[in-house]
Amino acid sequence: MKSGYGQIFFNKGGFFEGIFWDNKKNGFGCLWKPNGESHEGTFKNNKLYGKGMKNSKLETYKGSFRKGLYHGLGKLKYKDGRKYYGFFDMG
């Protein structure tokens, strides 16, 4: 069972570097997915919680997360230049 700081590399590509507890991402970390997405922030039970960042080919989001979804105050910027700053409710 993985607990503490470490890295895990996934079979289909991508990896996570950060804090584990009971074999789950729990604490600060960075997740890189094979599709080019990256996630940085505090994880709880494998999902982003609290302040964090997500970067993908289509958009960049900086702000609050809950259960891995945009939730609370945040800034969303699309690659085509559109921007939204405000409150998000679970997505």
Side-chain angles (χ1 to χ4, degrees):
M1 184 159 300
K2 189 178 272 276
S3 288
Y5 181 82
Q7 295 179 334
I8 186 167
F9 293 85
F10 305 109
N11 291 337
K12 295 183 180 182
F15 69 98
F16 174 80
E17 180 174 1
I19 307 297
F20 292 87
W21 184 258
D22 286 339
N23 231 25
K24 294 181 181 176
K25 297 182 279 290
N26 277 299
F28 185 81
C30 299
L31 172 68
W32 291 271
K33 294 185 174 182
N35 65 2
E37 268 186 32
S38 64
H39 303 248
E40 180 178 318
T42 302
F43 288 79
K44 180 179 177 184
N45 293 322
N46 290 327
K47 297 184 186 258
L48 276 171
Y49 264 85
K51 293 187 181 199
M53 183 275 306
K54 175 187 170 190
N55 190 25
S56 74
K57 293 178 183 177
L58 301 176
E59 63 191 36
T60 299
Y61 174 80
K62 292 181 183 178
S64 295
F65 287 84
R66 184 172 181 199
K67 296 184 180 178
L69 301 173
Y70 306 161
H71 186 75
L73 187 60
K75 186 186 303 183
L76 180 61
K77 182 178 178 185
Y78 294 95
K79 297 299 179 182
D80 66 8
R82 293 179 293 142
K83 297 177 186 176
Y84 174 78
Y85 179 79
F87 286 92
F88 292 80
D89 187 13
M90 298 300 282

